Amino acid sequence: MNIDTSVEKSSAYVVSQCQNRYEQMAAAHPRLLKPAITISYQSGAGAHEIAEHLPQILQKTEFKGDSPWAVFDQRLIEEALEEQRWPKKLAEKITEEKRFFIDDLMDDLFGLRPPTWVLVPQVVETTLRLALAGHAILVGHGATVVTANLRNVFHVRLTGSLQKRVERVQKLRNLTAAAAAKIVRKEDYDRGRYIKAHFHARLDNELLYDLVINTDRVSEGDVVAVIVEGARRFFSAL
């Protein structure tokens, strides 16, 4: 067994223990649970733009509660870093990618960024804490898999054809078609490896999701409306 595999297994064990602890807390206090949403996505499917429109609309529904809805995508990493007293600015350097042990070790030694075996369990802990607190929209970073057994969480998946997703990234980032395609493929690949390495799951497993939307065929505004209505019905049945 190589050292990368050993690190992955150790990280997966810590993640599993953390999930079990929060799931037990949720089961012990079901009436205290508040609604939360996860959004998993293919690169270029418009997830971040769509997520940003959700809080203000959800805040007008019967699920507005005492605290406002908030989006956690890059902020999810920032929260995890802050809890470990790492500077938030490191969040810009951290993506959903599978890191090799030697890369993590060198970064740890030179203080460049927290190693995977420290960061991933902390991100999981932060994700679960936010999910139980409720009124959180958790975007990416394995949030769907991490919170899969929490009954107060509505899981959404955003997909699209490669062509349309490349076109969206090309426009948003002012890139050539070739450069945009390279980014989309790499981000999809990195995200898939991250989920497989740390959570032993696949993002294309449709059973993980309560709602899957093809953003090729549905406008951004309609995607938001569909998610809100889907969430409303899901939470009403709890």
Side-chain angles (χ1 to χ4, degrees), residues 150-185:
L150 296 181
R151 61 189 297 269
N152 65 306
V153 184
F154 181 64
H155 303 293
V156 177
R157 172 76 167 167
L158 301 180
T159 67
S161 66
L162 178 61
Q163 178 184 345
K164 293 293 184 182
R165 292 187 291 117
V166 167
E167 289 174 0
R168 185 179 285 109
V169 169
Q170 181 182 3
K171 181 178 180 181
L172 286 174
R173 304 188 191 183
N174 193 28
L175 300 171
T176 65
K182 184 177 180 179
I183 287 175
V184 167
R185 288 192 175 96

Short mmCIF file of all heavy atoms in Angstrom, two decimals, residues 150-185:
data_model
loop_
_atom_site.label_atom_id
_atom_site.label_comp_id
_atom_site.label_asym_id
_atom_site.label_seq_id
_atom_site.Cartn_x
_atom_site.Cartn_y
_atom_site.Cartn_z
N LEU A 150 -28.66 13.34 6.47
CA LEU A 150 -29.35 14.32 7.28
C LEU A 150 -30.70 14.63 6.64
O LEU A 150 -30.75 15.08 5.50
CB LEU A 150 -28.53 15.61 7.42
CG LEU A 150 -27.18 15.48 8.13
CD1 LEU A 150 -26.50 16.84 8.21
CD2 LEU A 150 -27.37 14.90 9.53
N ARG A 151 -31.77 14.39 7.35
CA ARG A 151 -33.11 14.49 6.77
C ARG A 151 -33.55 15.93 6.50
O ARG A 151 -34.55 16.15 5.81
CB ARG A 151 -34.14 13.80 7.68
CG ARG A 151 -34.24 14.40 9.07
CD ARG A 151 -35.10 13.54 9.99
NE ARG A 151 -36.48 13.46 9.55
CZ ARG A 151 -37.43 14.31 9.93
NH1 ARG A 151 -37.14 15.30 10.75
NH2 ARG A 151 -38.66 14.17 9.49
N ASN A 152 -32.83 16.91 7.01
CA ASN A 152 -33.22 18.31 6.83
C ASN A 152 -32.55 18.96 5.63
O ASN A 152 -32.69 20.16 5.41
CB ASN A 152 -32.87 19.13 8.08
CG ASN A 152 -31.36 19.21 8.32
OD1 ASN A 152 -30.71 18.17 8.39
ND2 ASN A 152 -30.83 20.40 8.46
N VAL A 153 -31.82 18.15 4.82
CA VAL A 153 -31.05 18.72 3.71
C VAL A 153 -31.62 18.28 2.37
O VAL A 153 -31.83 17.09 2.11
CB VAL A 153 -29.57 18.32 3.80
CG1 VAL A 153 -28.76 19.00 2.70
CG2 VAL A 153 -28.99 18.68 5.17
N PHE A 154 -31.86 19.26 1.50
CA PHE A 154 -32.38 19.04 0.14
C PHE A 154 -31.21 19.09 -0.83
O PHE A 154 -30.46 20.07 -0.86
CB PHE A 154 -33.41 20.13 -0.19
CG PHE A 154 -34.04 20.03 -1.54
CD1 PHE A 154 -34.84 18.95 -1.88
CD2 PHE A 154 -33.88 21.06 -2.48
CE1 PHE A 154 -35.44 18.86 -3.13
CE2 PHE A 154 -34.50 20.99 -3.72
CZ PHE A 154 -35.28 19.88 -4.05
N HIS A 155 -31.04 18.04 -1.63
CA HIS A 155 -29.86 17.91 -2.48
C HIS A 155 -30.18 18.17 -3.95
O HIS A 155 -31.05 17.52 -4.53
CB HIS A 155 -29.28 16.50 -2.34
CG HIS A 155 -28.93 16.14 -0.93
ND1 HIS A 155 -27.92 16.77 -0.23
CD2 HIS A 155 -29.47 15.23 -0.07
CE1 HIS A 155 -27.84 16.24 0.98
NE2 HIS A 155 -28.77 15.31 1.10
N VAL A 156 -29.44 19.10 -4.54
CA VAL A 156 -29.65 19.51 -5.94
C VAL A 156 -28.39 19.23 -6.75
O VAL A 156 -27.27 19.40 -6.26
CB VAL A 156 -29.99 21.01 -6.02
CG1 VAL A 156 -30.14 21.45 -7.48
CG2 VAL A 156 -31.25 21.32 -5.22
N ARG A 157 -28.57 18.81 -7.99
CA ARG A 157 -27.46 18.59 -8.92
C ARG A 157 -27.71 19.39 -10.18
O ARG A 157 -28.81 19.31 -10.77
CB ARG A 157 -27.35 17.10 -9.26
CG ARG A 157 -26.34 16.75 -10.37
CD ARG A 157 -24.93 16.81 -9.90
NE ARG A 157 -24.02 16.16 -10.87
CZ ARG A 157 -22.70 16.30 -10.85
NH1 ARG A 157 -22.14 17.04 -9.91
NH2 ARG A 157 -21.95 15.69 -11.73
N LEU A 158 -26.74 20.19 -10.62
CA LEU A 158 -26.84 20.98 -11.84
C LEU A 158 -25.90 20.40 -12.89
O LEU A 158 -24.70 20.23 -12.63
CB LEU A 158 -26.48 22.44 -11.56
CG LEU A 158 -27.35 23.16 -10.52
CD1 LEU A 158 -26.88 24.59 -10.33
CD2 LEU A 158 -28.82 23.13 -10.92
N THR A 159 -26.45 20.09 -14.05
CA THR A 159 -25.66 19.48 -15.12
C THR A 159 -25.86 20.25 -16.42
O THR A 159 -26.66 21.18 -16.50
CB THR A 159 -26.08 18.02 -15.35
OG1 THR A 159 -27.42 17.99 -15.87
CG2 THR A 159 -26.02 17.22 -14.06
N GLY A 160 -25.15 19.83 -17.44
CA GLY A 160 -25.29 20.44 -18.76
C GLY A 160 -24.36 19.77 -19.74
O GLY A 160 -23.43 19.05 -19.35
N SER A 161 -24.60 19.99 -21.02
CA SER A 161 -23.73 19.42 -22.04
C SER A 161 -22.36 20.09 -21.96
O SER A 161 -22.23 21.24 -21.51
CB SER A 161 -24.32 19.62 -23.42
OG SER A 161 -24.36 21.01 -23.74
N LEU A 162 -21.34 19.39 -22.40
CA LEU A 162 -19.99 19.96 -22.39
C LEU A 162 -19.95 21.23 -23.22
O LEU A 162 -19.34 22.23 -22.81
CB LEU A 162 -18.98 18.94 -22.94
CG LEU A 162 -17.53 19.41 -23.03
CD1 LEU A 162 -16.99 19.77 -21.65
CD2 LEU A 162 -16.67 18.33 -23.69
N GLN A 163 -20.60 21.23 -24.36
CA GLN A 163 -20.58 22.39 -25.24
C GLN A 163 -21.13 23.64 -24.55
O GLN A 163 -20.51 24.70 -24.57
CB GLN A 163 -21.38 22.11 -26.51
CG GLN A 163 -21.44 23.30 -27.46
CD GLN A 163 -22.33 23.04 -28.67
OE1 GLN A 163 -22.67 21.90 -28.97
NE2 GLN A 163 -22.69 24.09 -29.38
N LYS A 164 -22.30 23.50 -23.95
CA LYS A 164 -22.93 24.65 -23.30
C LYS A 164 -22.13 25.11 -22.08
O LYS A 164 -22.03 26.31 -21.80
CB LYS A 164 -24.35 24.29 -22.87
CG LYS A 164 -25.31 24.05 -24.03
CD LYS A 164 -25.54 25.35 -24.81
CE LYS A 164 -26.59 25.11 -25.90
NZ LYS A 164 -26.81 26.34 -26.72
N ARG A 165 -21.57 24.17 -21.35
CA ARG A 165 -20.80 24.54 -20.17
C ARG A 165 -19.51 25.26 -20.56
O ARG A 165 -19.10 26.22 -19.90
CB ARG A 165 -20.52 23.30 -19.33
CG ARG A 165 -21.77 22.73 -18.70
CD ARG A 165 -21.52 21.60 -17.73
NE ARG A 165 -21.06 20.37 -18.36
CZ ARG A 165 -19.88 19.81 -18.14
NH1 ARG A 165 -19.02 20.38 -17.30
NH2 ARG A 165 -19.56 18.68 -18.73
N VAL A 166 -18.89 24.79 -21.63
CA VAL A 166 -17.69 25.47 -22.13
C VAL A 166 -18.04 26.89 -22.58
O VAL A 166 -17.30 27.84 -22.30
CB VAL A 166 -17.05 24.66 -23.28
CG1 VAL A 166 -16.00 25.50 -24.00
CG2 VAL A 166 -16.43 23.38 -22.74
N GLU A 167 -19.15 27.02 -23.29
CA GLU A 167 -19.58 28.35 -23.76
C GLU A 167 -19.81 29.30 -22.58
O GLU A 167 -19.45 30.48 -22.64
CB GLU A 167 -20.86 28.22 -24.58
CG GLU A 167 -20.66 27.58 -25.94
CD GLU A 167 -21.97 27.34 -26.68
OE1 GLU A 167 -23.04 27.68 -26.10
OE2 GLU A 167 -21.94 26.82 -27.81
N ARG A 168 -20.39 28.78 -21.50
CA ARG A 168 -20.66 29.62 -20.33
C ARG A 168 -19.35 30.08 -19.68
O ARG A 168 -19.19 31.25 -19.33
CB ARG A 168 -21.53 28.88 -19.33
CG ARG A 168 -21.96 29.73 -18.14
CD ARG A 168 -22.85 28.98 -17.17
NE ARG A 168 -24.20 28.82 -17.69
CZ ARG A 168 -24.73 27.68 -18.10
NH1 ARG A 168 -24.02 26.56 -18.06
NH2 ARG A 168 -25.95 27.62 -18.56
N VAL A 169 -18.42 29.15 -19.52
CA VAL A 169 -17.14 29.50 -18.90
C VAL A 169 -16.35 30.45 -19.80
O VAL A 169 -15.71 31.40 -19.32
CB VAL A 169 -16.31 28.21 -18.63
CG1 VAL A 169 -14.87 28.56 -18.25
CG2 VAL A 169 -16.97 27.40 -17.52
N GLN A 170 -16.41 30.22 -21.10
CA GLN A 170 -15.72 31.09 -22.05
C GLN A 170 -16.21 32.52 -21.93
O GLN A 170 -15.41 33.47 -21.89
CB GLN A 170 -15.94 30.58 -23.48
CG GLN A 170 -15.23 31.40 -24.55
CD GLN A 170 -15.51 30.88 -25.96
OE1 GLN A 170 -16.28 29.93 -26.15
NE2 GLN A 170 -14.89 31.49 -26.95
N LYS A 171 -17.52 32.69 -21.81
CA LYS A 171 -18.11 34.02 -21.71
C LYS A 171 -17.81 34.67 -20.36
O LYS A 171 -17.42 35.84 -20.29
CB LYS A 171 -19.62 33.93 -21.92
CG LYS A 171 -20.33 35.26 -21.86
CD LYS A 171 -21.82 35.10 -22.13
CE LYS A 171 -22.54 36.44 -22.06
NZ LYS A 171 -24.01 36.28 -22.31
N LEU A 172 -17.97 33.92 -19.28
CA LEU A 172 -17.78 34.47 -17.94
C LEU A 172 -16.34 34.87 -17.67
O LEU A 172 -16.07 35.87 -17.00
CB LEU A 172 -18.23 33.45 -16.88
CG LEU A 172 -19.73 33.26 -16.71
CD1 LEU A 172 -20.02 32.11 -15.74
CD2 LEU A 172 -20.39 34.54 -16.21
N ARG A 173 -15.39 34.09 -18.21
CA ARG A 173 -13.98 34.34 -17.91
C ARG A 173 -13.22 34.97 -19.07
O ARG A 173 -12.00 35.15 -18.98
CB ARG A 173 -13.30 33.03 -17.49
CG ARG A 173 -13.98 32.34 -16.32
CD ARG A 173 -13.16 31.17 -15.81
NE ARG A 173 -13.91 30.35 -14.88
CZ ARG A 173 -13.43 29.29 -14.23
NH1 ARG A 173 -12.16 28.95 -14.42
NH2 ARG A 173 -14.17 28.59 -13.40
N ASN A 174 -13.94 35.26 -20.15
CA ASN A 174 -13.33 35.91 -21.32
C ASN A 174 -12.15 35.10 -21.85
O ASN A 174 -11.03 35.60 -21.97
CB ASN A 174 -12.90 37.33 -20.96
CG ASN A 174 -12.56 38.15 -22.20
OD1 ASN A 174 -13.09 37.92 -23.28
ND2 ASN A 174 -11.67 39.12 -22.03
N LEU A 175 -12.41 33.83 -22.16
CA LEU A 175 -11.38 32.92 -22.61
C LEU A 175 -11.65 32.46 -24.04
O LEU A 175 -12.73 32.65 -24.58
CB LEU A 175 -11.34 31.69 -21.69
CG LEU A 175 -11.04 31.92 -20.22
CD1 LEU A 175 -11.28 30.63 -19.44
CD2 LEU A 175 -9.61 32.40 -20.03
N THR A 176 -10.64 31.82 -24.61
CA THR A 176 -10.87 31.15 -25.89
C THR A 176 -11.65 29.87 -25.62
O THR A 176 -11.68 29.37 -24.49
CB THR A 176 -9.54 30.80 -26.56
OG1 THR A 176 -8.84 29.84 -25.76
CG2 THR A 176 -8.67 32.04 -26.76
N ALA A 177 -12.23 29.32 -26.65
CA ALA A 177 -12.99 28.09 -26.50
C ALA A 177 -12.09 26.95 -26.02
O ALA A 177 -12.48 26.14 -25.16
CB ALA A 177 -13.65 27.71 -27.83
N ALA A 178 -10.88 26.89 -26.52
CA ALA A 178 -9.94 25.83 -26.14
C ALA A 178 -9.56 25.95 -24.67
O ALA A 178 -9.51 24.95 -23.94
CB ALA A 178 -8.70 25.89 -27.02
N ALA A 179 -9.30 27.17 -24.23
CA ALA A 179 -8.91 27.39 -22.83
C ALA A 179 -10.07 27.07 -21.89
O ALA A 179 -9.88 26.46 -20.83
CB ALA A 179 -8.46 28.83 -22.63
N ALA A 180 -11.28 27.47 -22.29
CA ALA A 180 -12.46 27.19 -21.46
C ALA A 180 -12.72 25.69 -21.37
O ALA A 180 -13.04 25.17 -20.29
CB ALA A 180 -13.68 27.90 -22.05
N ALA A 181 -12.56 24.98 -22.49
CA ALA A 181 -12.77 23.53 -22.50
C ALA A 181 -11.77 22.83 -21.59
O ALA A 181 -12.12 21.88 -20.87
CB ALA A 181 -12.66 22.99 -23.92
N LYS A 182 -10.54 23.30 -21.60
CA LYS A 182 -9.51 22.71 -20.74
C LYS A 182 -9.86 22.90 -19.27
O LYS A 182 -9.71 21.98 -18.46
CB LYS A 182 -8.16 23.37 -21.05
CG LYS A 182 -7.00 22.76 -20.29
CD LYS A 182 -5.68 23.40 -20.70
CE LYS A 182 -4.51 22.79 -19.94
NZ LYS A 182 -3.21 23.41 -20.36
N ILE A 183 -10.34 24.08 -18.91
CA ILE A 183 -10.72 24.36 -17.53
C ILE A 183 -11.89 23.50 -17.10
O ILE A 183 -11.89 22.91 -16.00
CB ILE A 183 -11.06 25.85 -17.36
CG1 ILE A 183 -9.80 26.70 -17.42
CG2 ILE A 183 -11.81 26.11 -16.06
CD1 ILE A 183 -10.04 28.18 -17.39
N VAL A 184 -12.90 23.41 -17.93
CA VAL A 184 -14.10 22.63 -17.60
C VAL A 184 -13.74 21.17 -17.37
O VAL A 184 -14.16 20.55 -16.38
CB VAL A 184 -15.17 22.76 -18.71
CG1 VAL A 184 -16.27 21.72 -18.52
CG2 VAL A 184 -15.75 24.16 -18.69
N ARG A 185 -12.96 20.61 -18.28
CA ARG A 185 -12.58 19.19 -18.15
C ARG A 185 -11.73 18.96 -16.89
O ARG A 185 -11.92 17.97 -16.19
CB ARG A 185 -11.83 18.73 -19.39
CG ARG A 185 -12.70 18.59 -20.64
CD ARG A 185 -11.95 17.86 -21.74
NE ARG A 185 -12.80 17.59 -22.90
CZ ARG A 185 -12.85 18.37 -23.98
NH1 ARG A 185 -12.11 19.48 -24.04
NH2 ARG A 185 -13.65 18.07 -24.99
#
